Amino acid sequence: MTERTQAPYARIAAELRGRIERGELRPGDRVPSTRAITQRWGVAMATASKALATLGQEGLVRAVPGVGTLVAARPATSQGRRPATAAEDDSAQRGRIVRAAMAIADAEGLTALTMRRLAAELGVSAMSLYRHVSTKEQLVALMADAAFGEHALPERPPPHWRERLELSAALQWRLYRAHPWLAGAMSLSRPLLIPNGIRHIDWALAALAGLGLDDDTRMHAAVTLFGYVRGHAVDLEPESDAARTSGVSGQEWMRAQETRLAALVDGGAFPAFAEARADSALTPESLLQYGLTALLDGLALRITTPPN
């Protein structure tokens, strides 16, 4: 039967079927409602209902009370694999949403990430996202957890407590560098309860076990270390935003300030600053390492039991 001689409901079903097969409508996305179909195709409500019923009989869509008609999870079609369960499909869709959200935040900052923008990036309606993430806050928590999961702490840690804490700090800094928005998304006063973030605290607590430190001291030390690295990384997103909007890197900006800085210090108003400035070279990494060394040196003075 040609498209011209097809019944109206069949033509509508064929168009929606094509969109599903091409991936324009993905599992979990809402398909047009019967009302939307009547308005778009100029057909009666009964015709719209029959088009959706046809897709339902083919297993391509499913009706969800209170939500609408959604694209169904696609069954596996090769090598006898079983169809994905609803939970597996939801997890896969959530992972796709989180990855797309991270890509936007990495490229443009967290303020550029909105549910509408994310939906446009994925080619779906904004409402369809709320089937998988209830709020933007939940989405950001999922993004942070995924980021911290990118570089796993090794199953066999270094032998010395200090090496373990240095490794954890280095991995955290690497993650903040890769995702400049991440530090701003974290908080010590209202922490995100994300498994991969808590794993770093647990790692630090384990590293400090058996060293004569009470539990309260170990917890304070572990959280302080986490907060110290995060605090240094908070400037990464503003710097990334400034470089992106101005086209001037941080190093280029600092070089451009040399004349103004020299005018401030060369007149003798700040003699100690002028003397030290001549022999120092500050970078985000050098500041991080200096403070980390001082923090761990101070912690070492509290240890009363030598490590094995």
Side-chain angles (χ1 to χ4, degrees):
M1 182 180 293
T2 65
E3 181 178 343
R4 181 169 298 180
T5 59
Q6 276 183 318
Y9 83 87
R11 289 202 306 272
I12 296 168
E15 183 171 335
L16 294 175
R17 186 186 302 110
R19 292 182 63 190
I20 294 171
E21 292 174 347
R22 291 191 298 272
E24 296 172 10
L25 289 171
R26 297 175 178 271
D29 291 348
R30 290 179 64 181
V31 299
S33 64
T34 52
R35 184 176 298 279
I37 291 174
T38 62
Q39 294 174 346
R40 177 174 176 179
W41 279 277
V43 296
M45 188 71 72
T47 300
S49 297
K50 192 171 183 179
L52 293 180
T54 299
L55 296 174
Q57 292 168 1
E58 296 172 0
L60 295 176
V61 301
R62 57 190 178 93
V64 179
V67 177
T69 303
L70 310 178
V71 179
R74 295 188 183 92
T77 57
S78 63
Q79 298 181 1
R81 291 177 295 175
R82 62 173 175 80
T85 65
E88 289 170 339
D89 182 62
D90 183 69
S91 178
Q93 290 300 312
R94 181 178 290 180
R96 186 169 72 95
I97 290 169
V98 169
R99 288 191 296 273
M102 292 174 68
I104 293 173
D106 288 348
E108 303 175 41
L110 201 57
T111 56
L113 177 63
T114 64
M115 300 302 270
R116 186 179 297 275
R117 167 67 191 285
L118 179 57
E121 194 74 19
L122 291 168
V124 301
S125 69
M127 285 301 297
S128 70
L129 299 179
Y130 290 103
R131 277 188 42 76
H132 309 286
V133 290
S134 58
T135 63
K136 183 180 176 182
E137 289 71 25
Q138 184 196 19
L139 174 60
V140 171
L142 291 169
M143 292 163 58
D145 193 47
F148 271 95
E150 288 179 350
H151 297 289
L153 291 159
E155 293 183 6
R156 299 183 63 182
H160 195 274
W161 68 266
R162 185 164 186 144
E163 293 174 329
R164 297 187 193 186
L165 299 188
E166 288 172 339
L167 176 58
S168 176
L171 287 177
Q172 290 172 47
W173 180 250
R174 185 188 306 175
L175 293 172
Y176 290 132
R177 275 294 204 184
H179 307 289
W181 52 270
L182 181 57
M186 307 298 291
S187 171
L188 293 186
S189 59
R190 298 189 180 188
L192 295 178
L193 301 181
I194 53 175
N196 288 318
I198 295 175
R199 189 163 287 114
H200 278 266
I201 303 296
D202 186 75
W203 168 281
L205 289 170
L208 295 172
L211 300 178
L213 302 174
D214 60 63
D215 290 344
D216 186 60
T217 298
R218 288 196 301 133
M219 182 61 78
H220 273 81
V223 175
T224 297
L225 175 65
F226 191 96
Y228 170 74
V229 181
R230 180 249 177 188
H232 266 278
V234 163
D235 285 339
L236 294 176
E237 184 175 33
E239 168 54 29
S240 179
D241 290 343
R244 181 172 55 254
T245 56
S246 68
V248 178
S249 70
Q251 290 181 337
E252 291 170 336
W253 186 89
M254 286 298 296
R255 286 196 294 269
Q257 307 308 308
E258 279 298 322
T259 300
R260 182 165 178 262
L261 182 59
L264 285 172
V265 302
D266 290 349
F270 311 103
F273 184 90
E275 181 180 3
R277 172 175 173 262
D279 297 318
S280 66
L282 302 180
T283 67
E285 284 73 19
S286 71
L287 289 168
L288 175 75
Q289 190 57 52
Y290 180 87
L292 179 62
T293 298
L295 191 158
L296 296 182
D297 284 349
L299 184 58
L301 297 177
R302 290 173 172 260
I303 292 175
T304 60
T305 303
N308 294 327

